[in-house]
Amino acid sequence: MTTTVTDAPGRTRRLTGFQPTGRLHLGNLLGALRPLIRAQDTTESIALIADLHAMTMEHDPASVRRFTLEQATVMLAAGVDPERTPIVVQSQVREHTELHYLLECVAAHGEATRMIQFKEKSAAGGPIRLSLLTYPVLMAADILLYDTTQVPVGEDQNQHLELARTLATRFNTKYGPTFTVPEGVRPDSAARVMDLAEPTMKMGKSLGTGQIGLLDPPEVIRRTIARAATDQAGRVRRDRENQPGVTNLIDILAETTGRPPSDPTSYAALKREVGDAIEALLAPLRARHAELAKNPDFVRRVLADGAEKVRPIAAATVRRARAGIGLLN
Ligand code: AMP
């Protein structure tokens, strides 16, 4: 299991990151994991479990550790092939933090404070960790470390990708060619899954009752779907503005089965179909997860192996950055 990620010129390399702040959900699967798995034959990818990012807000150490291992296990269960797609825990490749510091030396304070996510999260009140301000720079380090050429991004991540591009270009201009400047891509197959209870918001790890965890038992999934917000229109059709809940259910059905709803009038029938489709999608994943979870040492080895595979790329990048910026190598 120790082939090194190749570094051929003209190659494509994608980095997809997941924060171990909670359980992976249907949005993570349809929006990030499945596109990654589908592209495994044609595109080199790294799946990054960004545990350092999970500490930018008040956190529980035991939960971060647990979710890190759980997310890796779910990725394997979903079909990530670690032979082709290294699964890497960010903190296990120390070059992330070293490059973070070097990039802070070319980033401006104003660039960090302008980040929308910083503004939103810091507005919530309570003490603000300095790492919340600087984490987009760490994210830039995550991307640039691996000579990433493509970063799958949703709209809310555009600003972070732009910062990575800006810092790479600035560093290259000031200190000589060092980093590959990445492009944002939207994989064709990536869906944006909305919260089932609050369908105007993206399904996320921290919302309340409208998320479908990939390991949720069938009865919990059925209940979540049965309670999904709909409307009074009584028509099963896509209309994101006026019928966001129904539109989300139709989209989930299309993503999971490739089929439109069979009955254009019944929300109950739509929910039943969505429930069946999700159960068909998740039952095999749940079963594989149950098997893998019996052997956490295997999963830990996969992670150690992932780190080992990508470390040479990370080390080479940091060596170039150190030399450029004036450090003794
Ligand atoms: P996060 O859950 O924020 O760590 O995101 C991990 C990956 O899942 C990123 O590539 C996100 O863009 C993707 N993702 C997260 N939530 C959703 C969602 N509701 N719909 C589609 N993709 C999502």
Side-chain angles (χ1 to χ4, degrees):
M1 253 206 243
T2 37
T3 45
T4 304
V5 174
T6 52
D7 211 358
R11 48 106 195 103
T12 302
R13 185 176 295 141
R14 260 183 214 174
L15 182 82
T16 305
F18 301 83
Q19 291 193 36
T21 46
R23 311 166 314 155
L24 289 176
H25 51 75
L26 190 67
N28 296 130
L29 181 66
L30 299 182
L33 269 179
R34 212 167 60 159
L36 183 157
I37 292 162
R38 284 183 174 159
Q40 278 184 138
D41 287 335
T42 52
T43 308
E44 187 183 304
S45 285
I46 297 172
L48 184 74
I49 303 183
D51 54 350
L52 298 172
H53 291 289
M55 302 186 309
T56 54
M57 307 279 281
E58 190 62 36
H59 76 288
D60 169 38
S63 301
V64 172
R65 212 172 2 252
R66 181 163 53 84
F67 284 130
T68 299
L69 203 59
E70 182 185 286
Q71 290 196 356
T73 313
V74 169
M75 285 179 195
L76 293 170
V80 174
D81 171 7
E83 291 286 339
R84 291 180 287 173
T85 306
I87 305 177
V88 178
V89 177
Q90 186 186 27
S91 67
Q92 294 189 336
V93 179
R94 301 205 176 192
E95 282 81 356
H96 283 270
T97 44
E98 186 170 1
L99 189 59
H100 177 198
Y101 180 75
L102 298 182
L103 290 177
E104 277 190 353
C105 298
V106 294
H109 178 258
E111 283 172 322
T113 51
R114 271 201 299 277
M115 292 288 142
I116 294 161
Q117 290 201 6
F118 173 72
K119 287 190 197 163
E120 282 175 3
K121 288 185 177 169
S122 58
I128 298 162
R129 295 186 173 181
L130 188 55
S131 55
L132 183 66
L133 178 65
T134 59
Y135 97 94
V137 184
L138 177 58
M139 199 180 272
D142 300 338
I143 297 167
L144 302 182
L145 196 56
Y146 298 114
D147 297 326
T148 307
T149 58
Q150 296 187 344
V151 185
V153 275
E155 277 148 42
D156 47 354
Q157 292 291 331
N158 262 342
Q159 212 189 8
H160 290 155
L161 175 68
E162 273 316 306
L163 182 68
R165 288 167 52 83
T166 302
L167 298 183
T169 307
R170 188 177 301 153
F171 196 107
N172 289 348
T173 308
K174 268 172 114 81
Y175 303 119
T178 306
F179 298 119
T180 301
V181 181
E183 304 286 336
V185 289
R186 183 122 194 87
D188 297 341
S189 57
R192 186 155 189 261
V193 180
M194 309 307 280
D195 186 82
L196 290 173
E198 298 279 349
T200 53
M201 295 170 74
K202 217 171 91 162
M203 187 179 286
K205 298 200 194 78
S206 53
L207 279 177
T209 52
Q211 42 173 248
I212 293 184
L214 298 182
L215 301 177
D216 278 351
E219 62 279 11
V220 172
I221 294 178
R222 296 264 176 208
R223 203 178 324 129
T224 308
I225 295 170
R227 290 179 184 163
T230 51
D231 50 64
Q232 302 300 319
R235 268 181 309 209
V236 177
R237 59 161 188 198
R238 292 192 77 257
D239 177 351
R240 192 165 288 289
E241 197 167 323
N242 300 306
Q243 297 184 248
V246 170
T247 303
N248 190 34
L249 290 169
I250 296 172
D251 287 351
I252 292 173
L253 186 66
E255 270 299 314
T256 44
T257 63
R259 279 200 316 273
S262 53
D263 182 341
T265 56
S266 165
Y267 291 170
L270 173 65
K271 286 180 172 180
R272 244 187 337 269
E273 280 183 275
V274 171
D276 291 345
I278 292 178
E279 182 52 18
L281 181 73
L282 296 187
L285 187 155
R286 231 174 11 240
R288 280 196 297 272
H289 177 271
E291 279 307 306
L292 286 161
K294 289 181 195 156
N295 194 352
D297 285 346
F298 168 76
V299 181
R300 282 174 185 272
R301 276 201 304 280
V302 167
L303 296 176
D305 200 59
E308 200 182 313
K309 276 184 192 159
V310 300
R311 207 171 275 125
I313 308 170
T317 307
V318 166
R319 215 175 303 119
R320 287 197 304 277
R322 287 178 59 105
I325 208 167
L327 302 176
L328 283 177
N329 263 331

